Amino acid sequence: MSLSKINAMIGRGEKVAMLTCYDATFAKLSEAAGVDMLLVGDSLGMVLQGAENTLNVSIEDMEYHTKSVAAGTIACSIMTDMPAGSYELSKETALLNAKRLIAAGADIVKIEGGGEMVNTAQYLIEHGVPVCAHLGFTPQSVKQLGGYRIQGKTEESAQNILQDAVAMDKVGVRFVLLEMVPALLAKTITESINAPTIGIGAGADCDGQVLVIQDLLGIYTGPASKKPEAFKSPRFAKNFLAENSPGNCSIQSAVQAYVEAVKNNAFPGKEHSY
Ligand code: KIV
């Protein structure tokens, strides 16, 4: 599915169902289950590599997994994360690395943060690379943000996120992904910008939703170094596999249930939002 088809879908009022994906088997399965967009997220540092955070994922890792995902899908658009350290140093380095991901099969790249990153996004877009801006909780800044915390709770920080979204929209980003922000702020942003919003822990009013596949299946139990019992799944995650009827308990039907819930506005509920 091309990015313009995704935009047409949103124009018709249909919600976009996005899911993380890191290999060809899950790409094929997700496509068959009706997922619109696959996110090759740098969350792979945590869910595949077992790390505490996403900070050590390399551009080569992202290239490799983007190629694997691209091999498994014809119909889904592919968004790939630019990993930490691949786009902050200079606009030129960002462009070289973004082109590697596009050559590997990405339709669009995602960068984290507003502020100075607005110029980087503009430079990439001017050089023909479609960009998604990731705002709110930005996992690559987990250390600066003091942990996995909801963002935009105070009036000042909400205004900052809104301003970043408006600035990113002005330079032509194709999507704004909002992570762990109050539902009301996500609604305001969605109504204030042209670019569609994709939410994760950002309430039901975004134009689309994304989940990490391991969260959708309820199989992520924290970093390799920690005991599974110590892990508390985030509020925004929902285990769609657990909700399958016993006679219909497959990964494919769990992914299908997620897609249907997004399309019918049944997910996320208030219990998954802030
Ligand atoms: O890397 C990732 O999976 C992401 C999602 C959390 C949105 O960026």
Side-chain angles (χ1 to χ4, degrees), residues 12-52:
R12 293 193 299 271
E14 191 179 330
K15 298 266 176 173
V16 175
M18 189 190 222
L19 189 60
T20 66
C21 189
Y22 317 101
D23 68 27
T25 303
F26 275 93
K28 209 168 163 192
L29 179 147
S30 300
E31 178 180 308
V35 172
D36 303 307
M37 289 186 89
L38 298 173
L39 172 63
V40 187
D42 62 354
S43 50
L44 67 85
M46 299 167 75
V47 297
L48 300 190
Q49 298 173 344
E52 299 255 348

Side-chain angles (χ1 to χ4, degrees), residues 4-274:
S4 42
K5 280 200 182 145
I6 300 273
N7 279 85
M9 177 191 285
I10 293 164
R12 293 193 299 271
E14 191 179 330
K15 298 266 176 173
V16 175
M18 189 190 222
L19 189 60
T20 66
C21 189
Y22 317 101
D23 68 27
T25 303
F26 275 93
K28 209 168 163 192
L29 179 147
S30 300
E31 178 180 308
V35 172
D36 303 307
M37 289 186 89
L38 298 173
L39 172 63
V40 187
D42 62 354
S43 50
L44 67 85
M46 299 167 75
V47 297
L48 300 190
Q49 298 173 344
E52 299 255 348
N53 54 48
T54 61
L55 295 177
N56 292 319
V57 176
S58 67
I59 188 76
E60 288 78 16
D61 292 334
M62 298 311 295
E63 248 178 332
Y64 172 85
H65 287 283
T66 301
K67 278 186 196 157
S68 305
V69 169
T73 183
I74 297 166
C76 299
S77 292
I78 300 175
M79 181 184 288
T80 296
D81 272 339
M82 298 201 67
S86 73
Y87 58 96
E88 305 90 325
L89 213 56
S90 72
K91 295 185 291 189
E92 291 76 13
T93 321
L95 182 60
L96 286 175
N97 285 324
K99 292 222 158 155
R100 284 175 69 168
L101 300 177
I102 299 287
D107 298 299
I108 176 166
V109 298
K110 173 158 79 61
I111 63 174
E112 295 188 7
E116 288 171 27
M117 288 306 119
V118 175
N119 289 333
T120 304
Q122 181 169 20
Y123 188 74
L124 296 182
I125 293 161
E126 282 168 0
H127 288 80
V129 178
V131 175
C132 170
H134 183 152
L135 301 174
F137 176 73
T138 46
Q140 292 171 13
S141 308
V142 62
K143 293 194 175 160
Q144 294 91 311
L145 298 174
Y148 291 85
R149 296 209 172 125
I150 177 173
Q151 303 295 306
K153 266 169 74 175
T154 64
E155 181 59 31
E156 191 189 347
S157 69
Q159 278 305 322
N160 288 341
I161 297 171
L162 174 61
Q163 277 165 20
D164 282 336
V166 169
M168 284 291 193
D169 188 43
K170 277 206 180 116
V171 300
V173 296
R174 298 293 294 265
F175 297 93
V176 171
L177 189 145
L178 298 168
E179 180 165 357
M180 284 174 78
V181 296
L184 189 59
L185 173 60
K187 183 173 192 286
T188 306
I189 293 174
T190 303
E191 289 167 355
S192 309
I193 64 176
N194 290 313
T197 55
I198 309 281
I200 177 162
D205 291 305
C206 294
D207 297 300
Q209 298 291 330
V210 60
L211 267 189
V212 172
I213 177 108
Q214 282 78 0
D215 288 339
L216 182 154
L217 299 174
I219 56 170
Y220 181 66
T221 56
S225 59
K226 300 253 165 70
K227 290 208 166 84
E229 307 82 73
F231 179 71
K232 188 171 175 293
S233 130
R235 181 181 169 100
F236 57 74
K238 178 172 170 178
N239 180 345
F240 283 87
L241 190 59
E243 296 209 347
N244 275 185
S245 61
N248 186 23
C249 192
S250 70
I251 292 176
Q252 175 135 358
S253 51
V255 175
Q256 250 160 1
Y258 163 69
V259 172
E260 275 162 32
V262 170
K263 303 270 175 197
N264 301 335
N265 278 323
F267 177 79
K270 285 207 164 54
E271 68 278 25
H272 307 113
S273 309
Y274 301 95

